[in-house]
């Protein structure tokens, strides 16, 4: 029986993937790296610790990585955060999940302060039982640390009793390494084929579609067999 749903946030609950890509592209440009937007966007879903090594060599990463990450955070806060909108039906989906008695956790590669803003944007502050951000994990997605931390925050819940929901292959890879099944959503812009290759057991267009198909989804509470 499912006892918890563990949600990614960026691209899953709030429409922010393009904006994060622009923030990283701006920050990289300011540090002397002119990177094609599509290349940057394809890395969104990872935390900065996993994204920066794609574009910086080891020496640059050591010398400039911390400053670049902080610069990106400022750009995101000042230029792009005010433009983030929630996807439709997020609160309704969370209410439906809570109706079953299922707990809800957030497992995001965002920084903790960004995650607090996203909860307000999505109007779900009162519906979240536990949360973890990049501040709670040594390594971000696609490593499993953030999902493992979420399971711990849920009282050491067995991963077989939870389902993850995310929009990127990195979510599915990370959740799978933590022993979780993953539902994919397409609203973050990644193709369904990529999500299924990464391990998603079901794929929906967005929170609206997941809510509409809730009873047939892996989120639905069904009696345990045996």
């Amino acid at each position: 029986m499912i006892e918890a749903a563990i949600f990614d946030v960026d691209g899953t609950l709030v429409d922010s993937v393009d904006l994060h890509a622009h923030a990283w592209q701006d920050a990289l440009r300011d540090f002397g790296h002119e990177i094609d937007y599509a290349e940057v966007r394809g890395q969104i879903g990872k935390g900065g610790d996993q994204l920066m090594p794609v574009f910086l060599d080891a020496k640059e990463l050591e010398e400039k990585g911390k400053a670049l990450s902080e610069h990106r955070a400022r750009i995101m806060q000042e230029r792009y955060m005010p433009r983030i909108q929630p996807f439709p039906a997020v609160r309704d989906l969370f209410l439906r999940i809570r109706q079953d008695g299922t707990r809800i956790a957030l497992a995001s590669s965002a920084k903790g302060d960004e995650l607090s803003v996203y909860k307000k944007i999505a109007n779900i502050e009162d519906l979240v039982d536990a949360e973890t951000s990049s501040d709670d994990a040594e390594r971000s997605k696609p490593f499993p640390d953030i999902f493992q931390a979420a399971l711990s925050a849920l009282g050491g819940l067995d991963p077989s009793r939870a389902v993850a929901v995310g929009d990127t292959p990195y979510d599915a890879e990370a959740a799978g390494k933590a022993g979780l099944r993953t539902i994919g959503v397409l609203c973050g812009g990644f193709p369904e084929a990529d999500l299924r290759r990464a391990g998603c057991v079901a794929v929906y267009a967005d929170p609206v579609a997941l809510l509409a198909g809730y009873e047939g989804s892996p989120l639905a509470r069904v009696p345990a067999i045996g």
Side-chain angles (χ1 to χ4, degrees):
M1 183 180 290
I2 296 302
E3 296 180 17
I6 304 177
F7 282 83
D8 169 63
V9 179
D10 284 299
T12 300
L13 305 179
V14 298
D15 190 1
S16 58
V17 174
D18 289 344
L19 300 175
H20 276 291
H22 282 300
W24 274 112
Q25 187 184 34
D26 293 353
L28 286 161
R29 182 185 299 116
D30 291 344
F31 275 68
H33 293 268
E34 190 64 51
I35 310 295
D36 183 74
Y37 172 77
E39 289 186 58
V40 179
R41 197 191 190 287
Q43 300 299 317
I44 302 301
K46 297 179 178 180
D49 62 314
Q50 302 302 314
L51 182 149
M52 287 189 292
V54 176
F55 303 112
L56 275 64
D57 61 33
K59 185 173 184 291
E60 288 177 307
L61 198 59
E62 182 179 354
E63 293 177 351
K64 305 176 182 179
K66 185 174 185 294
L68 173 58
S69 180
E70 292 172 351
H71 184 54
R72 190 285 317 172
R74 286 192 296 271
I75 290 173
M76 188 67 198
Q77 179 70 33
E78 295 168 5
R79 300 179 192 173
Y80 298 111
M81 193 75 77
R83 295 165 55 183
I84 295 176
Q85 297 293 322
F87 288 119
V90 169
R91 183 173 178 84
D92 290 340
L93 174 60
F94 275 34
L95 287 169
R96 178 63 187 87
I97 293 168
R98 292 289 292 266
Q99 183 180 323
D100 277 353
T102 301
R103 291 181 290 166
I104 297 172
L106 305 180
S108 173
S109 292
K111 296 289 186 182
D113 56 348
E114 293 177 345
L115 184 57
S116 295
V117 174
Y118 298 156
K119 286 191 298 178
K120 291 179 183 177
I121 290 171
N123 192 23
I124 55 171
E125 291 176 285
D126 58 325
L127 301 177
V128 175
D129 297 290
E131 63 187 61
T132 55
S133 68
S134 62
D135 300 336
D136 303 302
E138 183 177 344
R139 303 167 300 177
S140 66
K141 304 168 189 174
F143 288 96
D145 303 31
I146 290 171
F147 285 108
Q148 291 168 339
L151 290 167
S152 295
L154 289 165
L157 185 65
D158 189 298
S160 67
R161 298 284 186 172
V163 174
V165 184
D167 69 299
T168 76
Y170 314 121
D171 293 317
E173 291 171 24
K177 292 170 186 172
L180 292 158
R181 293 178 298 151
T182 303
I183 296 171
V185 288
L186 300 174
C187 44
F190 284 84
E192 179 173 353
D194 289 358
L195 297 178
R196 290 197 180 275
R197 264 196 302 272
C200 287
V201 298
V203 177
Y204 296 83
D206 51 25
V208 173
L210 180 51
L211 177 59
Y214 183 88
E215 297 302 334
S217 79
L219 286 175
R221 267 205 165 188
V222 295
I225 298 174

